[in-house]
């Protein structure tokens, strides 16, 4: 069981993640970002690295891929909202996309 | 440039693909199937194998993944509808999922 972020921690985390393009999702306590790469191999390479990290963290994204774009949504079902795991995975994905 | 399937070839291909769970998409000339696996590693393993084949065929799926499910949509943008490439990739993905 992972705890939902407190309102203060949530606001602070979202402020930082907004700097790199993460946005709050309408109608869900979740965050979303679209990553765009040069081609499919780069996009799927990013997904592969992210998948291994997701499995290590035991926290998995909801994501879709169309050619060179990857749209990612993060939330914590166990916590019924955003948790520290979403913040960690979001930052990791930002780092992997660089 | 890839040719759109003729009405006869399209009907025949869709009949065969329906046997393995591919369905026509509403409002688009595309096909769709949801693959379900035992866990994330299996689901993403399937995506990885499919991604390599997609790149080899130079024909890429629109797809999304949530934990152990992978939802795939196939269409050929160049042909503005279904082409032989979609049929080939659909059959390949069926084989990889087994």
């Amino acid at each position: 069981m992972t705890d939902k972020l407190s309102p203060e921690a949530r606001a602070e985390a979202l402020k930082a993640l907004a700097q790199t393009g993460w946005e709050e999702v309408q109608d869900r306590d979740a965050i979303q970002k679209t990553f765009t790469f040069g081609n499919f191999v780069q996009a799927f390479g990013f997904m592969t690295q992210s998948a291994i990290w997701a499995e290590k963290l035991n926290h998995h994204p909801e994501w879709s891929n169309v050619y060179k774009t990857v749209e990612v949504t993060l939330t914590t079902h166990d916590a019924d909202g955003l948790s520290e795991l979403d913040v960690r995975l979001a930052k990791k994905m930002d780092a992997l996309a660089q």
Side-chain angles (χ1 to χ4, degrees), chain A residues 3-92:
Chain A
D3 289 338
K4 199 166 167 169
L5 290 174
S6 69
E8 297 74 19
R10 189 181 185 285
E12 194 177 339
L14 288 184
K15 193 174 167 186
L17 289 171
Q19 303 288 325
T20 60
W22 291 91
E23 295 179 341
E24 290 185 71
V25 177
Q26 298 284 335
D27 307 323
R28 288 181 70 185
D29 189 11
I31 53 174
Q32 190 170 319
K33 180 174 175 178
T34 300
F35 294 88
T36 304
F37 299 90
N39 56 41
F40 176 75
V41 171
Q42 289 174 17
F44 199 79
F46 161 74
M47 291 181 78
T48 304
Q49 294 185 66
S50 298
I52 293 169
W53 273 99
E55 186 66 18
K56 276 179 74 165
L57 292 171
N58 194 27
H59 188 60
H60 303 86
E62 301 174 19
W63 49 0
S64 62
N65 160 242
V66 179
Y67 197 57
K68 64 181 181 178
T69 66
V70 181
E71 191 177 300
V72 180
T73 300
L74 300 178
T75 191
T76 303
H77 295 103
D78 279 355
D80 196 26
L82 289 174
S83 77
E84 187 57 37
L85 284 172
D86 298 304
V87 179
R88 286 179 65 187
L89 187 53
K91 287 181 179 170
K92 177 54 75 176

